[in-house]
Structures are given as structure tokens and as C-alpha cells.
Amino acid sequence: MELKKTCRERFQPALDAIKLLLEKQKNTDTPILVAIDGRCGSGKTTLGEYLHQVFDCNLFHMDDFFLRQEQRTPERMKEIGGNVDYERFFQTVLQTIQKKEDIVYQPFSCSEWKLMGAYQIPYKKLNVIEGSYSMHPYFKKPYDLRIFMNISKEAQMKNIIKRNGVEKAKDFAEKWIPKEEAYFEEFHIQEGTLEIKWHLM
């Protein structure tokens, strides 16, 4: 994955923090868990893919755990942080990593609106979880490192339009961004994290 020099520089604090964790735990078999949460369009997936390339770690995406249709009850959709299947993620990914076992991974497809075929992901010591709601309090703070990707509103909308187009950007502005902001505020997600800011280039 080829990144611009400015991106590599921006991500360097995350690399340094993970290298320090690996050094501290080099003589143990304890799994290391890293979460990348933050605002839409701030580079969560890009950072996750970069870390995956640098460290050859396991990388999991919260987008693979959006709610199935039958889970989208009015009560659940009103719940702050409730629009992801945090129960399934906790059971199939986090608990399995903590047991040092291989993971049977079954991603949800937002385009096909269904669970896709399951496949096995071998256990690795270093595991990165990227995406909104990766720091949901339901998980009971399992992470060794928590990274918050931040971005200005102006840069955020510019990135979302570039990535998703104008029409879908309206949906983000009216629906998904307010849900994220409520989650950040309600659960104080940004507190105690390594913050990485997006700068317009």
C-alpha cells in the first residue's frame, strides 16, 4: 500500500505506539488489541490497511458487522451506538482472540444486505480493529491501544463526497454522522485515545 509522505508522517505516532507495545510484550503470548475509531472520512480504513501491511497483523472491519435487517428494530435504531452488531463482533472476534483461537469470520455485506460466507482467520498476536463503534462500551475496554481519527467538518464532507458521491454524502450528513457524534459524546470515546488528525492537503 503506497501512501503519500504526508499520510505516512500522520500515521507515524500509531506505528511508534504499536512498536512499543510489541517490544513490551515480546516475551509473552498475550494478544495485542488495537482499536481505530473516529469520524467518517478521517482515514480509519486507510490507517488500518497500512498497519496491516507494516506489521502483517490481523485486520477486522466494523463495517462487516452492520445490523442485519431483522435486527433493525425501532428500539435498536434509537439506541446510541446500536446500529452495529456489537454482540456478534464481541462473541466471534474479541472473545476468540482473547482465547488465542482461530476466528470463524462471517462479514455482513452492505451491498447485498446479508451475511456472506464464513471463512477462517488464523490467530495472530497483533490484531487491529478499525471502524466506527470499535470502542463501544459493550466490549468492556479490551484494547491495549485506542486511536481516534479526527477531521474537520469541511474536510470530512470533502472526503465523503469524493469517496461516496454527492447523493450518499447527504445521507451521511443527515443520518450517519449525527449517530456517530451522539456515540462519541455519550460514551466519551475520544478521551484517553491517541488522536490522529486529518489535515487538508
Side-chain angles (χ1 to χ4, degrees), residues 1 39-40 87 100 103 111 161 168 180 195 201:
M1 181 180 185
R39 294 185 161 87
C40 290
E87 300 96 335
K100 305 172 191 174
I103 294 166
S111 59
I161 290 170
K168 287 188 177 180
E180 280 189 356
E195 183 178 352
M201 290 179 264

Side-chain angles (χ1 to χ4, degrees), residues 32-46:
I32 296 174
L33 288 161
V34 177
I36 307 171
D37 209 322
R39 294 185 161 87
C40 290
S42 59
K44 298 185 294 294
T45 302
T46 303

Side-chain angles (χ1 to χ4, degrees), residues 39-58:
R39 294 185 161 87
C40 290
S42 59
K44 298 185 294 294
T45 302
T46 303
L47 174 57
E49 295 289 352
Y50 186 52
L51 296 178
H52 174 64
Q53 180 191 51
V54 171
F55 295 105
D56 188 30
C57 58
N58 276 335

Side-chain angles (χ1 to χ4, degrees), residues 110-127:
C110 294
S111 59
E112 299 190 39
W113 212 251
K114 66 178 183 179
L115 287 172
M116 306 304 287
Y119 57 93
Q120 191 168 348
I121 297 178
Y123 169 79
K124 289 186 178 181
K125 182 181 178 71
L126 178 59
N127 301 271

Side-chain angles (χ1 to χ4, degrees), residues 21 31-35 60 93-94 97-98 125-129 142-146:
L21 280 172
I32 296 174
L33 288 161
V34 177
F60 303 97
V93 177
L94 290 181
I97 290 172
Q98 290 165 339
K125 182 181 178 71
L126 178 59
N127 301 271
V128 174
I129 294 92
Y143 298 112
D144 300 277
L145 175 64
R146 296 162 60 244

